[in-house]
């Protein structure tokens, strides 16, 4: 459920011939006692047999502090532990979830249900992703060198969702040298999704690519990296000749 400032518009139909339809706009603030960051968690592609750990943070909104009285998953896909945290003066809880490395290949989905005191409804955080085999990963790496640009682009998109550093350098090479602007754009998107800091210099260079789609993808990827060394390149992008990049 969304929280914060909200606006909704609805239409009321009546038998009044002068005003058969009346639009009503409602505004207000939706407050929650506790909120989760992120409210849902996509793990993307996880290599089979390799550990995957992510964190979910809980912060109070309408109550003084966050206390956890229970944590459970609907299925036995994860283990978890929690600890108190304080970030910029805000106290909360961090729940570290670890995927069961023995999961078979394929998609998985679960939901973390967090119980808190004071009759507050439980917080539900959906978690999903897919377990990828070495054979599937190798196939995508091979497709990244295909003669068909559509196949290369699709492979880059898929590799961006898989947590495996072995694809980073090949994606950088594709970004810098591929003849297809669509493929170069997909490579930039993938490096941003992977938050590959090794790609910083290549992404900065790609902000000057002749193609607007590549420049836009490079800017978005640099923004995702959040590296201060990209600040000048991002400033230059604000003056790009194309509105899409700006």
């Amino acid at each position: 459920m969304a929280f914060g400032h909200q606006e909704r518009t609805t239409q009321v139909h009546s038998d009044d011939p002068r005003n058969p339809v009346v639009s009503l706009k409602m505004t207000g603030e939706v407050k929650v006692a506790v909120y989760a960051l992120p409210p849902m968690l996509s793990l993307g592609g996880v290599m089979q047999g390799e550990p995957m750990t992510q964190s979910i943070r809980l912060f109070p909104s309408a109550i003084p502090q966050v206390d956890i009285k229970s944590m459970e998953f609907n299925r036995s896909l994860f283990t978890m532990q929690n600890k108190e945290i304080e970030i910029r003066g805000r106290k909360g809880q961090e729940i570290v979830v670890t995927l069961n490395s023995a999961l078979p290949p394929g998609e998985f989905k679960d939901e973390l249900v967090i119980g808190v005191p004071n009759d507050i409804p439980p917080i539900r955080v959906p978690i999903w992703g897919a377990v990828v085999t070495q054979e599937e990963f190798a196939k995508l790496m091979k497709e990244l060198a295909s003669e068909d640009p559509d196949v290369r682009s699709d492979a880059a998109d898929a590799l961006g969702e898989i947590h495996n550093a072995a694809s980073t350098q090949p994606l950088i090479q594709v970004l810098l040298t591929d003849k297809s602007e669509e493929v170069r754009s997909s490579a930039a998107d993938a490096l941003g999704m992977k938050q590959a800091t090794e790609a910083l210099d290549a992404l900065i260079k790609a902000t000057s690519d002749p193609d607007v789609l590549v420049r836009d993808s490079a800017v978005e990827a640099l923004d995702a990296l959040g590296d201060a060394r990209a600040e000048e390149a991002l400033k230059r992008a604000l003056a790009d000749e194309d509105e899409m990049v700006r």
Side-chain angles (χ1 to χ4, degrees):
M1 182 183 71
F3 58 91
H5 182 76
Q6 302 292 319
E7 294 185 0
R8 296 290 186 272
T9 301
T10 187
Q11 291 184 331
V12 178
H13 296 262
S14 74
D15 57 3
D16 185 344
R18 294 171 298 178
N19 297 290
V21 180
V22 178
S23 294
L24 298 177
K25 183 177 181 180
M26 298 169 285
T27 63
E29 293 289 326
V30 178
K31 293 185 177 181
V32 293
V34 179
Y35 62 91
L37 294 176
M40 55 186 67
L41 185 59
S42 171
L43 298 182
V46 181
M47 296 302 299
Q48 186 179 23
E50 295 187 4
M52 166 57 66
T53 298
Q54 292 285 359
S55 295
I56 299 165
R57 293 171 175 173
L58 303 180
F59 292 101
S61 177
I63 59 175
Q65 66 182 43
V66 179
D67 293 314
I68 295 176
K69 67 177 184 180
S70 65
M71 298 185 298
E72 61 181 1
F73 281 99
N74 292 334
R75 303 170 63 192
S76 300
L77 303 185
F78 296 87
T79 58
M80 58 199 155
Q81 58 183 2
N82 69 292
K83 63 180 180 180
E84 294 184 356
I85 57 172
E86 183 172 346
I87 300 176
R88 297 177 183 175
R90 299 167 62 203
K91 293 184 178 181
Q93 294 275 350
E94 181 176 59
I95 302 173
V96 178
V97 297
T98 301
L99 181 67
N100 182 351
S101 60
L103 282 183
E107 297 183 352
F108 60 84
K109 182 184 292 186
D110 207 337
E111 184 179 58
L112 175 59
V113 182
I114 308 162
V116 292
N118 303 324
D119 297 323
I120 298 171
I123 301 161
R124 299 178 180 272
V125 181
I127 306 177
W128 68 93
V131 175
V132 181
T133 65
Q134 289 291 345
E135 291 76 14
E136 291 170 326
F137 181 77
K139 180 174 181 290
L140 289 172
M141 292 291 286
K142 184 177 180 180
E143 290 174 349
L144 193 62
S146 168
E147 294 183 359
D148 187 334
D150 289 337
V151 174
R152 298 199 302 274
S153 180
D154 289 345
D157 289 337
L159 288 168
E161 296 183 3
I162 298 175
H163 299 275
N164 190 326
S167 63
T168 299
Q169 288 301 325
L171 285 168
I172 291 174
Q173 186 68 15
V174 167
L175 171 63
L176 295 177
T177 64
D178 201 282
K179 295 180 179 180
S180 166
E181 60 272 10
E182 180 182 355
V183 178
R184 296 198 305 276
S185 176
S186 292
D189 289 336
L191 291 165
M193 291 177 64
K194 293 169 72 68
Q195 294 192 335
T197 55
E198 312 97 300
L200 180 68
D201 291 339
L203 288 167
I204 290 175
K205 184 175 181 179
T207 61
S208 299
D209 192 279
D211 186 80
V212 60
L213 291 178
V214 180
R215 297 199 304 274
D216 181 54
S217 293
V219 167
E220 290 188 3
L222 287 172
D223 190 52
L225 290 184
D227 194 306
R229 292 172 292 174
E231 185 175 344
E232 289 301 318
L234 293 174
K235 286 181 179 178
R236 288 196 302 271
L238 293 175
D240 193 278
E241 62 184 19
D242 196 292
E243 183 180 355
M244 178 185 292
V245 180
R246 300 196 300 269

